[in-house]
């Protein structure tokens, strides 16, 4: 090359570098959405008449007087959320039953008509004040589906709902999120005026993030387990879709759409209990710390926000079982993310954009996602290397993109230097606001993050490494159809000890070795508690408690007859939730009759739905002493919210003696699915 060409190239390069402003890529978040993503973890509160009636979906005809939380203390809720490390609270101001937690002008089914505070109370006023006091953001859930309002299903309702929204959004200060539920499990369908509703939200709360299946602020993640896809784009295609039944496919909700039209990040909703509303029956079913950790890593760790429901109880307080669990979770999270080992590393990158003052390699490990590093415009691959003088041990990797400029990374892997050779320890897809990889322990002096593909030049704001304390995974307890209890554990080879008298297991309790050597027979039911221990009790898992009712040892299906081996109705009573009986494709109703083999005093039944197709919504349950005369059903109704939250359903009825039971599925949870599936059917005798 001649001297002057070199000079020219140098000048050109210099000019280009000067011009190296980072061009935003694709759909972009608003400022409000960026702050929303930074919140990561906040509380959902389901509260209302259902709290007092053991229902998940109220019918709207409940006596408002049932709502009487005599010790309601919204400051206790806020204090709990704050101590849990949450950044806000969203409350069900109005659920499907139409009951308003504030004295709305537009309804006659409100706290004003309730027994609480002689009708003078206002839950939203108390909670918004408590949130302000504790530095938490305040948000509201309002269900458009209203089973109480006389206008529902008529043209006038959209106005009513807009007025209701306006009332809430103009009376209680700033609202960070407006939650629109798309559910409608009733017969009346109302065409909603979403443009009107959105205009009311933005007029009152220009910074509110609107939640629905299609945003526009954030989107439902497609399940109520709180788990996002490992690939998770914050962009979504929304043309032709609407909230509710006409929402995008589950896969799109769960993973977003690469190059989606709009920035609509995922929000992962899940309840700390099996249901969304409080019930005394679930006091012992608060999720374990390990399962909450799975949820945390499956949501916040996968570019989603986590809205964790903590249902307020009948006193109007967060129950101690829930708050204790929240604090235990906080302790583990704090211990896990206490010491960012990346801060001690020397960080280098193969390609760094030059002459842009904002871009620095040292921004990658400065502990804040407000500063960033980027490659030159033409690069879609690059390697970031962390080098240590002394070996470090880590098991968590946190990566963040600077999302204000769009989501870019499509594929990356991670390597560590082990005995002089690079070893790949993870291979993943998207990053987004935050990606956390849960890894096993690695000890090394060099860690390499290879970005393998990106939509545009990668812009990364953080790389963090941590060594989270090890936790023993929980033992799992199950029982065969003939009543033999089994206990499994996955992690290492811990000692499992158990009790059968309800007491807390210790290393002195009986030891479970295997199903063959440790025979625990509980055909008539009982309580099994188990705990895993290591190092003679120095480390212990949480305690798992499983309560069994009578086993199906003597049961026989009397109708229908077994169709084929892979579709044997006996699968509905074989003690295993993973074997599923699927009843025909001829459409509803479907039914199953079972001979219990003896006369039992029955108090209710349980239905465990399948994971997948064939979930039952409407049901009737009959009992009989001779298997011929069934009379009228002892229970009938709908399994509220079972489609989105397919957990075991428990239905109580008036005590009755019977030898035969008959379960009739009257309608499907999904109208497009003609078959009815039963993972397990059980009875309640205890
Ligand atoms: C669903 C509702 O039907 C449930 O009752 C619950 O409120 C959940 C968060 O959303 O769509
Ligand atoms: Ca089964």
């Amino acid at each position: 090359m001649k001297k002057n060409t070199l000079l020219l190239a140098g000048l050109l390069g210099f000019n280009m570098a000067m011009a190296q402003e980072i061009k935003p890529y694709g759909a972009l978040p608003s400022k409000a959405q960026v702050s929303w993503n930074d919140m990561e973890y906040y509380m959902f509160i389901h509260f209302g008449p259902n709290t007092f009636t053991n229902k998940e979906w109220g019918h709207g005809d409940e006596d408002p007087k049932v709502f009487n939380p005599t010790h309601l203390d919204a400051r206790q809720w806020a204090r709990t959320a704050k101590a849990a490390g949450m950044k806000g609270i969203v409350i069900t101001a109005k659920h499907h039953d139409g009951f308003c937690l504030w004295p709305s002008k537009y309804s006659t089914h409100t706290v004003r008509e309730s027994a609480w505070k002689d009708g003078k109370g206002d839950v939203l006023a108390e909670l918004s004040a408590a949130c302000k006091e504790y530095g938490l953001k305040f948000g509201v859930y309002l269900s458009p589906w209203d089973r109480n309002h006389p206008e529902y299903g008529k043209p006038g309702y959209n106005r009513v709902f807009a007025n209701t929204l306006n009332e809430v959004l103009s009376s209680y200060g700033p609202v960070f999120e407006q939650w629109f539920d798309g559910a409608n499990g009733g017969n009346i369908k109302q065409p909603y005026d979403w443009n009107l509703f959105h205009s009311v939200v933005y007029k009152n709360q220009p910074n509110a993030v609107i939640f629905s299946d299609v945003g526009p602020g954030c989107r439902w993640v497609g399940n109520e387990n709180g788990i996002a896809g490992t690939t998770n784009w914050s962009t979504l295609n929304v043309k032709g879709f609407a909230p509710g039944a006409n929402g995008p496919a589950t896969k799109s909700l769960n993973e977003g759409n690469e190059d989606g039209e709009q920035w609509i990040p995922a929000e992962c909703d899940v309840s700390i209990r099996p249901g969304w509303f409080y019930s005394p029956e679930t006091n012992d079913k608060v999720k374990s710390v390990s399962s909450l950790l799975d949820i945390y890593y499956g949501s916040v760790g996968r570019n989603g926000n986590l809205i964790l429901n903590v249902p307020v109880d009948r006193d109007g307080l967060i129950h101690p079982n829930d708050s204790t669990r929240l604090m235990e979770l906080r302790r583990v999270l704090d211990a896990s993310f206490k010491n960012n080992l990346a801060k001690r590393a020397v960080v280098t990158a193969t390609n760094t954009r030059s002459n842009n003052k904002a871009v620095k390699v040292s921004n990658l490990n400065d502990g804040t996602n407000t500063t960033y590093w980027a490659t030159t415009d033409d690069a879609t691959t690059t390697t970031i290397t962390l080098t240590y003088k002394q070996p470090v041990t880590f098991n968590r990797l946190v990566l963040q993109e600077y999302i204000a400029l769009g989501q870019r990374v499509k594929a990356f892997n991670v390597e560590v230097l082990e005995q002089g050779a690079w070893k790949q320890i993870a291979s993943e897809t998207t990053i987004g606001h935050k990606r956390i990889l849960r890894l096993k322990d690695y000890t090394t002096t060099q860690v390499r993050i290879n970005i393998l593909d990106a939509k545009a030049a990668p812009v990364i704001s953080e790389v963090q490494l941590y060594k989270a304390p090890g936790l023993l995974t929980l033992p799992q307890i199950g029982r065969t159809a003939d009543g033999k209890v089994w206990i499994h554990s996955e992690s290492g080879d811990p000692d499992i000890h158990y009790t059968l008298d309800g007491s807390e297991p210790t290393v002195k309790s009986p030891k479970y070795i295997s199903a063959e050597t440790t025979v625990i027979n509980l055909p008539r039911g009982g309580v099994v508690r188990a705990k895993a221990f290591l190092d003679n009790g120095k480390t212990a898992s949480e305690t798992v408690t499983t309560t069994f009712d009578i086993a199906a040892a003597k049961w026989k299906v009397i109708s229908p007859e077994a169709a084929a081996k892979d579709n044997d109705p006996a699968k509905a009573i074989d003690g295993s939730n993973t074997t599923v009986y699927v009843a025909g494709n001829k459409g509803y109703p479907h039914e199953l009759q079972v001979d219990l083999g003896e006369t039992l005093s029955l108090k209710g039944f349980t239905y465990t739905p399948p994971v997948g197709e064939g979930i039952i919504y409407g049901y009737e349950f009959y009992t009989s002493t001779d298997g011929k005369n069934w009379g009228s059903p002892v229970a009938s109704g709908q399994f509220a919210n079972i489609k989105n939250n397919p957990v075991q359903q428990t239905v109580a009825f008036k005590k009755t003696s019977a030898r035969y039971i008959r379960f009739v599925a009257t309608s499907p949870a999904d109208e497009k699915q003609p078959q009815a599936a039963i993972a397990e059917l059980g009875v309640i005798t205890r």
Side-chain angles (χ1 to χ4, degrees), residues 26 77 179 233 237 241 299-300 333 340 418 456 587 622 655 666:
W77 315 348
W179 225 90
W233 295 98
N237 292 322
F241 297 118
S299 54
V300 177
L333 288 173
N340 177 6
E418 234 178 49
Y622 299 80
K655 210 179 196 160
T666 58

Side-chain angles (χ1 to χ4, degrees), residues 571-580 678-680:
K571 285 183 177 170
I573 54 168
D574 65 357
S576 160
N577 291 341
T578 52
T579 57
V580 177
I678 306 174
E680 279 301 292

Side-chain angles (χ1 to χ4, degrees), residues 44 46 56-57 95-96 141 179 181 183 224 269 276 641 644:
F44 214 170
H46 275 63
E56 279 295 298
W57 281 355
H95 202 251
H96 309 323
Y141 164 117
W179 225 90
D181 197 321
E224 293 182 2
D269 62 326
W276 289 95
N641 200 32
N644 290 338

Side-chain angles (χ1 to χ4, degrees), residues 100-107 110-112 119 121-123 167 172:
C100 301
L101 292 181
W102 78 104
S104 175
K105 277 202 283 214
Y106 305 100
S107 167
T110 78
V111 282
R112 187 182 51 233
D122 182 338
V123 180
E167 189 178 44
Y172 303 103

